[in-house]
Amino acid sequence: MTTISTMTLSSPTRVIAKGVQTPLKTQTIKCSPIFKLNKRWPGLIGSGRSSSIQPVRAAPDKISEKVEKSIKDAEETCTDNPTSNECAAAWDEVEELSAAASHARDKKKDSDPLENYCKDNPETDECRTYDN
Amino acid sequence: MAACTLYSTQCFNTISSTPSSKTHLGFHQRQVVFYTTTNNKRSSNKRSGNNNTGRYVITCAAGDTVVIGLAADSGCGKSTFMRRLTSVFGGAAEPPKGGNPDSNTLISDTTTVICLDDYHSLDRTGRKEKGVTALDPRANDFDLMYEQVKALKEGIAVEKPIYNHVTGLLDPPEVIKPPKILVIEGLHPMFDARVRDLLDFSIYLDISNEVKFAWKIQRDMAERGHSLESIKASIEARKPDFDAYIDPQKQYADAVIEVLPTQLIPDDNEGKILRVRLIQKEGIKHFSPVYLFDDGSTISWIPCGRKLTCSYPGIKFFYGPDTYFGNEVSVVEMDGQFDRLDELIYVESHLSNLSTKFYGEVTQQMLKHADFPGSNNGTGLFQTIVGLKIRDLYEQIITSKAETPVGAAKA
């Protein structure tokens, strides 16, 4: 079986690890950057209640507005030439946003805030479960 | 399977394996450490804006990832299929923990599903400016797709870009580790010959225009701004590119699930009752098609009667050999829908070669996800069956590799 051990190097400079000489063992060594946009890197943020840093998913309402706007745009783009490439691209954007809106609705439907929190932070008090 | 990785994440270059890696990894399955300092010009760094940085990769893995391709248009049930598939493998598939909340990736114990939209080379604005749809190959980076799927198949982790469907932008990449089973789903998994050759099994969801229209009405009519006209206009505007670049991929698929309007009601085009065909290629290694009653015969079966209650318009099954794009195939077809899902057990007991682990597994899976779209008709049934066939294929591949480790390393 596999042994996976994790070592975290959070040096800001480039890390060159040489010769991880542990025979018959596998290792994961991750070097995290100091800062990355819209992204939480494992290793950068410690365990516990760090969820405040987590970026928030775009709300379905906002996507709905985008869908609405994209339909208007497509209709405008297509008035001159309904078979143009621009027209096809505009309606393709409508499709993409409509699909995204539908996925966002599905996610919202079966998402429970506590469940979501506990998925990321199973070790916290409010996420403990007890067997009698 | 062993996997270890080291990467310096300051930089966003594609991982490319050194030619020697495979030999080391495959033969000895011992830890192997190798560096690649990649400066790949067409890699993802141009998008993330992090140029000119080298990248250090130390990785070791057995490299026995099985790769599955799933092709379908947007809004044609890929997500539902993925949920059924990952359920067959056991364990729920979740987005990567602590990552970008708009990531398109799903990860379970065994399986990682990646969305090929992440390989868009043009973002939403770029496509708009150039007048190119996402269906167009020019909007997609097949070189990067090939490199990364290949790397994963060889057991090497990659930093895959993320296409954000909400903003239409390419977000900073996420690390994808080689899973046991990698599913690549999207518009073009079988478009590029190099990517196609990496697939151990491929599926195409072929939704007829009538049904596509009905499904999109169901999906979009509640959305502000949408109307029957806008839904129709969108389908029609995308159709030339769909026909040119997406539809032809079905000839390469090992299994095609065709969804058509019912023939049980004359001239029905409501798209509520469906005729679904599972087209299975013959002669594919590790895949032996499902059949009804008698392998190779032609059979028409109406199960309704004393043992199965069917209300109007009933249920009809068909099974028989056929040719599909010049390939020998066998087809199982179901027209109509189940009134009571637990009665599916009666149908299941008449299908053979299902690759179930116990009697009633298909029915159990269908009941478990009765709330998924298509659970009472052939789409759910055949998606579940294909899931079981893929599990079987995976197990066969792993067994055959274990028996001949040297051969597997060379393969």
Side-chain angles (χ1 to χ4, degrees):
Chain A
M1 258 319 283
T2 309
T3 312
I4 296 177
S5 61
T6 306
M7 180 160 85
T8 306
L9 306 174
S10 49
S11 161
T13 52
R14 183 175 301 149
V15 177
I16 304 169
K18 278 196 180 175
V20 186
Q21 309 268 344
T22 322
L24 303 171
K25 265 194 183 179
T26 59
Q27 298 200 347
T28 303
I29 305 172
K30 285 184 185 169
C31 318
S32 299
I34 289 299
F35 176 69
K36 278 282 167 288
L37 263 183
N38 198 22
K39 180 138 195 184
R40 242 181 71 192
W41 288 83
L44 176 66
I45 299 161
S47 61
R49 294 160 200 247
S50 52
S51 60
S52 59
I53 307 168
Q54 193 164 15
V56 179
R57 178 186 291 279
D61 305 340
K62 210 178 144 201
I63 307 172
S64 286
E65 283 167 30
K66 286 189 173 198
V67 174
E68 203 176 1
K69 189 180 171 294
S70 71
I71 294 168
K72 275 188 194 138
D73 287 352
E75 283 166 351
E76 272 170 36
T77 311
C78 298
T79 42
D80 301 335
N81 184 357
T83 55
S84 68
N85 293 334
E86 285 71 23
C87 173
W91 279 116
D92 187 46
E93 185 179 327
V94 174
E95 171 56 35
E96 185 179 290
L97 286 165
S98 305
S102 159
H103 285 146
R105 277 197 305 270
D106 286 348
K107 274 195 185 115
K108 200 182 173 188
K109 207 166 51 190
D110 47 39
S111 80
D112 177 79
L114 183 63
E115 290 287 333
N116 287 346
Y117 174 77
C118 292
K119 240 176 242 166
D120 291 337
N121 306 281
E123 73 286 2
T124 52
D125 285 347
E126 46 277 68
C127 299
R128 282 178 137 175
T129 51
Y130 301 90
D131 296 328
N132 294 321
Chain B
M1 202 172 87
C4 74
T5 323
L6 179 140
Y7 17 80
S8 150
T9 41
Q10 290 167 313
C11 35
F12 291 120
N13 267 349
T14 330
I15 294 168
S16 70
S17 61
T18 53
S20 61
S21 63
K22 208 175 184 179
T23 327
H24 284 295
L25 303 174
F27 276 123
H28 308 297
Q29 308 230 332
R30 242 186 7 205
Q31 186 184 34
V32 174
V33 177
F34 65 93
Y35 309 133
T36 49
T37 312
T38 323
N39 241 329
N40 198 325
K41 294 206 172 56
R42 38 160 213 253
S43 66
S44 61
N45 60 5
K46 68 188 169 196
R47 297 165 190 167
S48 52
N50 286 275
N51 278 317
N52 70 41
T53 35
R55 167 139 218 224
Y56 301 86
V57 181
I58 298 177
T59 185
C60 59
D64 37 13
T65 296
V66 172
V67 187
I68 312 292
L70 172 68
D73 195 7
S74 162
C76 288
K78 286 192 296 278
S79 311
T80 307
F81 189 10
M82 281 305 104
R83 286 158 81 195
R84 288 193 200 278
L85 180 68
T86 48
S87 168
V88 167
F89 283 109
E94 306 273 357
K97 271 182 197 150
N100 183 335
D102 288 320
S103 164
N104 305 307
T105 305
L106 288 174
I107 299 172
S108 75
D109 294 346
T110 52
T111 315
T112 296
V113 183
I114 60 171
C115 171
L116 296 179
D117 290 351
D118 290 335
Y119 294 105
H120 281 338
S121 55
L122 295 171
D123 63 11
R124 197 176 285 155
T125 320
R127 292 197 299 271
K128 203 178 231 171
E129 279 167 2
K130 292 207 163 73
V132 169
T133 67
L135 308 164
D136 194 310
R138 287 175 293 169
N140 298 281
D141 187 344
F142 288 103
D143 292 339
L144 183 62
M145 190 193 292
Y146 166 64
E147 279 165 22
Q148 297 206 332
V149 174
K150 184 166 175 277
L152 287 167
K153 190 164 177 144
E154 286 168 0
I156 302 161
V158 301
E159 289 199 328
K160 181 187 60 54
I162 299 173
Y163 177 72
N164 188 319
H165 287 92
V166 181
T167 61
L169 298 168
L170 286 151
D171 284 350
E174 62 187 351
V175 174
I176 304 290
K177 290 181 192 152
K180 287 180 179 156
I181 300 156
L182 173 71
V183 183
I184 57 169
E185 58 99 353
L187 296 165
H188 304 99
M190 287 98 91
F191 183 86
D192 186 284
R194 295 167 302 168
V195 179
R196 203 159 64 221
D197 287 345
L198 294 171
L199 300 177
D200 293 291
F201 194 76
S202 55
I203 308 120
Y204 184 91
L205 302 183
D206 189 6
I207 315 302
S208 68
N209 283 327
E210 298 93 328
V211 176
K212 209 185 260 190
F213 187 50
W215 283 4
K216 289 196 177 169
I217 289 172
Q218 231 171 44
R219 188 192 69 184
D220 295 338
M221 269 309 261
E223 198 67 58
R224 248 179 314 160
H226 261 304
S227 60
L228 283 180
E229 288 71 37
S230 65
I231 293 166
K232 207 170 180 179
S234 179
I235 292 176
E236 274 168 15
R238 294 172 77 255
K239 198 166 184 302
D241 279 359
F242 175 81
D243 289 345
Y245 310 120
I246 312 303
D247 195 60
Q249 293 178 90
K250 63 189 181 194
Q251 64 188 295
Y252 305 115
D254 299 318
V256 176
I257 299 180
E258 235 175 44
V259 185
L260 306 147
T262 182
Q263 285 181 338
L264 298 170
I265 307 165
D267 302 318
D268 177 87
N269 49 16
E270 255 188 283
K272 278 191 186 136
I273 302 200
L274 303 173
R275 178 166 73 104
V276 187
R277 289 158 58 83
L278 174 61
I279 301 162
Q280 310 162 91
K281 226 178 231 178
E282 292 283 352
I284 301 292
K285 208 176 175 193
H286 307 305
F287 172 61
S288 100
V290 172
Y291 65 88
L292 187 60
F293 296 116
D294 182 30
D295 193 4
S297 298
T298 299
I299 285 146
S300 184
W301 181 43
I302 298 172
C304 311
R306 222 166 295 163
K307 290 183 186 142
L308 189 70
T309 45
C310 301
S311 62
Y312 181 80
I315 302 174
K316 192 175 173 183
F317 276 85
F318 169 84
Y319 164 72
D322 204 344
T323 52
Y324 188 76
F325 291 96
N327 294 307
E328 216 179 293
V329 294
S330 48
V331 180
V332 184
E333 178 182 314
M334 175 186 164
D335 197 348
Q337 57 191 38
F338 301 106
D339 286 338
R340 290 171 43 116
L341 206 45
D342 48 1
E343 289 174 345
L344 175 61
I345 190 73
Y346 181 68
V347 171
E348 181 178 349
S349 64
H350 288 82
L351 288 163
S352 299
N353 243 353
L354 286 169
S355 302
T356 46
K357 299 226 161 166
F358 53 88
Y359 177 73
E361 191 177 13
V362 173
T363 309
Q364 189 212 50
Q365 279 293 330
M366 294 278 282
L367 283 167
K368 196 171 164 190
H369 303 298
D371 56 324
F372 288 8
S375 287
N376 63 346
N377 64 40
T379 60
L381 175 63
F382 293 147
Q383 284 177 0
T384 305
I385 290 175
V386 171
L388 293 166
K389 298 310 290 187
I390 291 172
R391 183 180 68 187
D392 190 37
L393 175 111
Y394 166 74
E395 285 169 358
Q396 286 186 48
I397 290 174
I398 294 308
T399 312
S400 68
K401 277 193 182 173
E403 280 163 5
T404 53
V406 175
K410 280 177 184 163

